[in-house]
Amino acid sequence: MDELGALCWLVDAGADEAAQVAPVNRFQAKMAAPLAQMNDPPSASQISPFAHGAGLRQAPRGIVRPTAVLNPHAHDNDYIGHALEIANACNTLAELKAAVEAFEGCALKQFAHTTVFADGNPAGRIMFIGEAPGFEEDKTGLPFVGRAGKMLDKMLMAIGLDRTTTYIINVLPWRPPDNRNPDPAEVAKCLPFLRRHIELQSPRMIVLLGGSPLRHVLGNAEGILHSRGKWLHYHAAGRMVPVMPTLHPAYLLRQPTHKKLAWRDLLAINHKLQQNHELA
Ligand code: URA
């Protein structure tokens, strides 16, 4: 049965809507074959998974591409290695932005409408790191512009900061479909870009918003409620950067009684800013 035949069969059977965000690709073998031929690999180990046409293409709005466009010979480690190579070759934030936008090795990108790189002041000395873009961020291409973003703006304002004095990024530049948790391989392919982002932006202080950046930036799995409010450190380009983990603004929307904990963390951040005038 060809694709059209299969579709007609589903329609005849009464199917009138997609049940999942990600389509089940029933033609994987069929679609992978021409791709493998396009790369014309002498052997699986010799081909680059990043050859033209081998990776993922960002889907136009409303179109979800099947996962078969990933090179069937590529392994997660190949993509992680490639991400590392191209991230480290970037010497400016603009180069890094272009590299992330061009990267085709992370499956999350196929579901996202935009690459969400950063917002705020690239010269700002305080970097806020969230988890991943949500619906609004995926629409606009900017981090923290939805409800959680409004809450973040209030948190910044409470200690005299705003987006002109801070720099805001996420661990992941692409929204996971349905805001699901990204799988470890998806995160691993984004981490080289995140680490280079921190090196190039060179913040004097980092604020981690929630457990996900705590885990992925510092490798700390103790949980945000345990680690928040305590100064930690991140090593970037030979410098020790003070890091304050605090509660994610979306969590505060769900647990408003915990705003008092976030307020304590903000006061600690403010205190350090006052002590180190060059930060402000
Ligand atoms: N939550 C995040 O962690 N980041 C965003 O950009 C928006 C919501």
Side-chain angles (χ1 to χ4, degrees):
M1 194 185 316
D2 63 6
E3 288 90 338
L4 186 61
L7 192 60
C8 291
W9 186 88
L10 286 171
V11 172
D12 289 347
D16 57 2
E17 64 177 324
Q20 292 171 295
V21 172
V24 178
N25 183 2
R26 302 185 196 285
F27 307 104
Q28 183 134 16
K30 221 169 142 184
M31 294 179 70
L35 236 166
Q37 283 156 18
M38 186 159 72
N39 291 330
D40 197 21
S43 77
S45 63
Q46 280 176 296
I47 66 153
S48 161
F50 317 107
H52 178 69
L56 296 165
R57 295 281 170 268
Q58 188 137 9
R61 200 167 277 275
I63 297 177
V64 179
R65 287 184 183 277
T67 51
V69 292
L70 258 179
N71 185 322
H73 299 289
H75 298 291
D76 285 333
N77 282 346
D78 295 326
Y79 288 109
I80 296 166
H82 186 56
L84 203 57
E85 228 172 82
I86 57 180
N88 287 345
C90 295
N91 293 313
T92 64
L93 289 174
E95 281 176 18
L96 186 69
K97 182 171 190 284
V100 176
E101 283 169 349
F103 186 62
E104 302 290 354
C106 181
L108 291 176
K109 191 181 184 186
Q110 80 185 119
F111 301 106
H113 296 121
T114 55
T115 297
V116 178
F117 186 71
D119 194 20
N121 185 347
R125 301 288 77 188
I126 313 164
M127 174 183 266
F128 284 75
I129 308 180
E131 179 176 16
F135 179 80
E136 294 296 332
E137 291 77 18
D138 185 44
K139 257 193 341 194
T140 57
L142 292 171
F144 284 101
V145 292
R147 281 186 73 220
K150 306 267 177 299
M151 173 64 85
L152 176 61
D153 286 336
K154 286 184 193 161
M155 293 165 74
L156 296 178
M157 207 192 315
I159 51 169
L161 301 174
D162 59 26
R163 293 187 189 225
T164 67
T165 51
T166 57
Y167 191 70
I168 302 170
I169 66 171
N170 281 309
V171 171
L172 304 177
W174 299 291
R175 180 194 183 208
D178 281 343
N179 298 337
R180 68 159 166 78
N181 287 330
D183 69 41
E186 289 166 342
V187 177
K189 292 166 197 166
C190 298
L191 288 185
F193 297 111
L194 173 69
R195 299 204 180 287
R196 191 67 183 143
H197 208 153
I198 298 172
E199 281 174 6
L200 290 173
Q201 204 270 332
S202 191
R204 293 290 186 269
M205 182 193 289
I206 295 174
V207 180
L208 301 176
L209 298 167
S212 166
L214 176 67
R215 207 163 45 251
H216 298 305
V217 175
L218 294 184
N220 179 329
E222 286 185 319
I224 193 65
L225 284 170
H226 177 271
S227 299
R228 59 142 285 277
K230 298 173 193 155
W231 285 107
L232 304 171
H233 286 93
Y234 180 80
H235 230 106
R239 273 193 314 107
M240 292 280 263
V241 185
V243 178
M244 174 57 75
T246 190
L247 301 173
H248 192 286
Y251 173 83
L252 295 176
L253 287 168
R254 293 192 303 274
Q255 295 285 343
T257 56
H258 280 180
K259 281 185 195 168
K260 60 178 180 293
L261 300 179
W263 177 234
R264 277 182 218 158
D265 305 344
L266 290 168
L267 288 178
I269 292 166
N270 190 44
H271 185 68
K272 203 180 250 319
L273 292 178
Q274 303 309 320
Q275 282 178 330
N276 301 272
H277 296 299
E278 86 275 17
L279 280 175

